[in-house]
């Protein structure tokens, strides 16, 4: 099957086979291709309410390349889910028409609730034994962050999506390069208010393990580990304490975008927004009282693929 996750900042592809049934219920998918391109589809959406034509074109170019890969690998089922930016945009019909023409299937503009449930499904499969249940899974995207609480056996108990993401918070608050202390304080207050609203809906403070998903989390974890290159195997299921997350966040917010680009694990398309993403993670840990975060390289993309099984 082929799964595509089109978010506010990036578009990602997973082509995979189902695992052998004899491998057990926690066996992962057998990846054939896993790719990511930063297209910044949500550029300016928080301000204008519309998808920028150049952002739609960047997405079309990446999607055309993915369509070629899907055909080459012979995927039998394809599902594309589009998230926060295309939910918010007044010209979302232009985006949907482009996807239909380029990929041959219509995108599903999933609700925040469905986005959260897909993220949970992808994230909890294969978690290590020391990751105690229940889980609070947080997926920090470009435009929104999903909060999901649940267990493997019972699935999702509660889920909510709130409009705090690394692109949205950067555009809304962090105009400086580096941002000023006043800008960081305003972003922190905005994030904290949204996190508190989310935790009033989902019982995140009662969870035993925080599982963090998506590029902001995995980048912070890679930096916290001192990696000299982005290594998914080292990042996947790594546990990082709150104090280290706070140190990395402070350091990132004190750097210019050019200085962040010099960090060995930094993706060029993430350097300008990683400070906000790290801040979202730190505030979540603070408000939920979580002493550490477990990173997962498996997330909504894997959840979309499993939904085709």
């Amino acid at each position: 099957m082929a799964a595509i996750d089109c978010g506010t900042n990036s578009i990602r592809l997973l082509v995979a086979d189902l695992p052998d049934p004899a491998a057990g219920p926690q066996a992962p998918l057998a990846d054939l291709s896993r790719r990511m391109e930063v297209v910044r589809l949500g550029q300016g959406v928080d301000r204008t309410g519309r998808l920028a034509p150049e952002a739609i074109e960047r997405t079309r170019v990446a999607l055309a390349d993915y369509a070629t890969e899907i055909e080459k690998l012979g995927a039998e089922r394809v599902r594309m889910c589009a998230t926060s930016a295309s939910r918010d945009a007044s010209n979302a019909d232009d985006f949907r028409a482009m996807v239909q023409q380029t990929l041959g299937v219509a995108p599903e503009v999933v609700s925040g609730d469905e986005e959260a449930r897909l993220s949970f499904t992808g994230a909890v499969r294969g978690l290590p034994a020391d990751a105690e249940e229940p889980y609070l899974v947080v997926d920090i995207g470009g435009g929104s962050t999903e909060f999901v609480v649940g267990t493997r056996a019972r699935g999702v108990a509660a889920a909510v999506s709130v409009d705090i993401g690394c692109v949205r918070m950067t555009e809304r608050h962090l105009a400086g390069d580096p941002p000023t202390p006043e800008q960081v304080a305003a972003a922190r207050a905005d994030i904290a208010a949204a996190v508190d609203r989310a935790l009033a809906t989902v019982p995140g403070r009662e969870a035993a393990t925080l599982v963090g998903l998506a590029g902001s989390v995995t980048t912070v974890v890679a930096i916290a580990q001192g990696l000299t290159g982005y290594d998914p195997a080292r990042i996947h299921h790594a546990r990082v304490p709150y104090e280290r997350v706070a140190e990395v966040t402070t350091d990132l917010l004190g750097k210019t975008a050019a200085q962040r680009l010099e960090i060995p694990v930094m993706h060029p398309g993430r350097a300008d927004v990683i400070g906000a993403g790290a801040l979202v993670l730190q505030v979540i840990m603070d408000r939920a009282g979580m002493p550490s975060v477990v990173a997962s390289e498996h997330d909504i993309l894997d959840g979309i693929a499993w939904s085709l099984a």
Side-chain angles (χ1 to χ4, degrees), residues 136-159:
L136 168 59
V137 175
V138 294
D139 187 343
I140 302 173
S144 64
T145 294
E146 284 64 57
F147 294 71
V148 199
V149 171
T151 63
R152 280 200 189 102
R154 297 180 181 177
V156 173

Side-chain angles (χ1 to χ4, degrees), residues 59-102:
T59 306
R60 185 199 66 77
V61 171
L63 194 58
D65 192 30
Y66 287 178
T68 300
E69 181 92 339
I70 289 167
E71 184 176 6
K72 181 181 75 174
L73 293 173
E76 298 172 359
R77 284 160 283 176
V78 181
R79 185 182 185 191
M80 175 175 173
C81 292
T83 55
S84 178
S86 49
R87 275 202 305 268
D88 299 343
S90 61
N91 61 336
D93 287 346
D94 296 341
F95 169 76
R96 285 192 288 269
M98 178 277 289
V99 172
Q100 180 71 54
Q101 182 176 6
T102 306

